[in-house]
């Protein structure tokens, strides 16, 4: 792949999601009465879409930093496992490696794992950098747009849920792994029924435990 020219069309689907999503975050931030300059700074230094949406309400309500840190752990706990399947793309540079680990979001992970077009760490690093750039640009655009929109506009925060839904559908269409779909639905049902307060964390842990045990089951079946 011609690195620069190849990365741009590869990341276009994420760009089309991140520009409006980043803009919605910027609008919500300003609409909540928070200082505008913290929004782009958060998109650069934190860069965690779902958490940033959650943080808007928490910060506007005066929630303490400890509570916010706990919420960040629960919301982004799933990111701890992303690197396990992308280890072969991990850059070796002193700056590239920590940035790549920092920059793997749900959408970037989906692109790197499902597209089949990213074969080397340099391309993976550029994909990560481009995707964050789209999010930061969207945030800045949202701050500017917020001044012309009526306050208290409803429904904007659903944009992130819509993007996750599209990514899930694309993953299913690309992989056609119906067993994984069934496991995901089962984990969601169990977590939603018995531990709804920690839904995302519980569902993620159940899936990780199943996936850790799954290779052993396959190897045992192969020897029978």
């Amino acid at each position: 792949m011609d690195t620069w020219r190849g990365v741009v069309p590869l990341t276009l689907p994420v760009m089309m999601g991140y520009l409006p999503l980043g803009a919605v975050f910027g609008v919500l931030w300003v609409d909540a009465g928070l200082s505008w300059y913290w929004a782009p700074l958060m998109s650069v230094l934190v860069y965690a879409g779902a958490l940033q949406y959650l943080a808007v309400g928490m910060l506007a309500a005066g929630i303490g930093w400890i509570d916010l840190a706990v919420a960040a752990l629960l919301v982004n706990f799933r990111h701890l496992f992303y690197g396990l399947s992308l280890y072969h793309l991990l850059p070796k540079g002193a700056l590239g490696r920590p940035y790549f680990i920092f920059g793997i979001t749900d959408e970037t992970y989906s692109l790197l794992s499902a597209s089949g077009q990213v074969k080397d760490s340099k391309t993976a690093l550029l994909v990560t950098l481009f995707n964050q750039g789209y999010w930061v640009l969207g945030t800045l655009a949202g701050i500017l747009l917020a001044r012309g929109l009526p306050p208290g506009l409803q429904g904007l925060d659903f944009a992130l849920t819509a993007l996750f839904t599209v990514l899930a559908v694309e993953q299913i269409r690309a992989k056609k792994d119906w067993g994984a779909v069934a496991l995901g639905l089962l984990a969601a049902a169990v977590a939603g029924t018995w531990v709804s307060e920690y839904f995302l964390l519980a569902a993620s842990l159940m899936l990780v435990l199943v996936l850790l045990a799954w290779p052993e089951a396959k190897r045992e079946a192969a020897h029978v």
Side-chain angles (χ1 to χ4, degrees):
M1 177 187 292
D2 186 334
T3 306
W4 287 97
R5 294 181 182 178
V7 165
V8 174
L10 183 62
T11 57
L12 279 179
V14 176
M15 181 193 74
M16 296 180 69
Y18 269 16
L19 288 179
L21 282 172
V24 169
F25 166 68
V27 170
L28 291 174
W29 186 275
V30 174
D31 192 47
L34 302 169
S35 300
W36 70 267
Y37 49 84
W38 286 110
L41 189 62
M42 191 177 191
S43 290
V44 171
L45 299 180
V46 178
Y47 184 41
L51 174 64
Q52 288 182 232
Y53 275 62
L54 179 65
V56 172
M58 296 183 71
L59 291 173
I63 300 297
W65 288 102
I66 295 179
D67 292 331
L68 187 58
V70 172
L73 176 63
L74 294 176
V75 172
N76 288 339
F77 186 79
R78 65 193 185 281
H79 289 198
L80 295 176
F81 306 102
Y82 284 172
L84 296 177
S85 59
L86 296 178
Y87 185 79
H88 61 292
L89 296 176
L90 188 65
K92 295 182 180 180
L95 295 177
R97 174 169 290 197
Y99 175 73
F100 181 70
I101 295 171
F102 160 79
I104 300 177
T105 59
D106 297 289
E107 294 76 18
T108 299
Y109 175 79
S110 178
L111 189 60
L112 294 177
S113 61
S115 69
Q117 300 182 51
V118 181
K119 307 294 185 182
D120 61 276
S121 58
K122 182 179 180 181
T123 304
L125 187 61
L126 282 176
V127 167
T128 306
L129 182 63
F130 271 55
N131 287 348
Q132 185 177 12
Y134 301 143
W135 182 266
V136 174
L137 286 176
T139 301
L140 292 171
I143 293 171
L144 295 176
L145 288 172
R147 299 182 180 182
L149 294 175
L153 200 61
Q154 298 296 315
L156 290 176
D157 50 352
F158 182 74
L160 190 63
T161 303
L163 179 60
F164 284 153
T165 302
V166 171
L167 287 172
V169 170
E170 289 300 318
Q171 283 276 17
I172 293 171
R173 292 176 60 184
K175 299 293 186 180
K176 293 183 172 60
D177 189 345
W178 302 109
V181 174
L183 284 174
L185 292 175
L186 179 61
V190 172
T193 301
W194 281 287
V195 282
S196 58
E197 293 183 359
Y198 303 98
F199 172 80
L200 186 59
L201 178 61
S204 299
L205 284 175
M206 283 187 282
L207 288 173
V208 168
L209 290 175
V210 170
L211 292 175
L212 288 175
W214 190 257
E216 294 293 333
K218 290 177 68 175
R219 283 197 292 269
E220 290 176 4
H223 290 296
V224 174

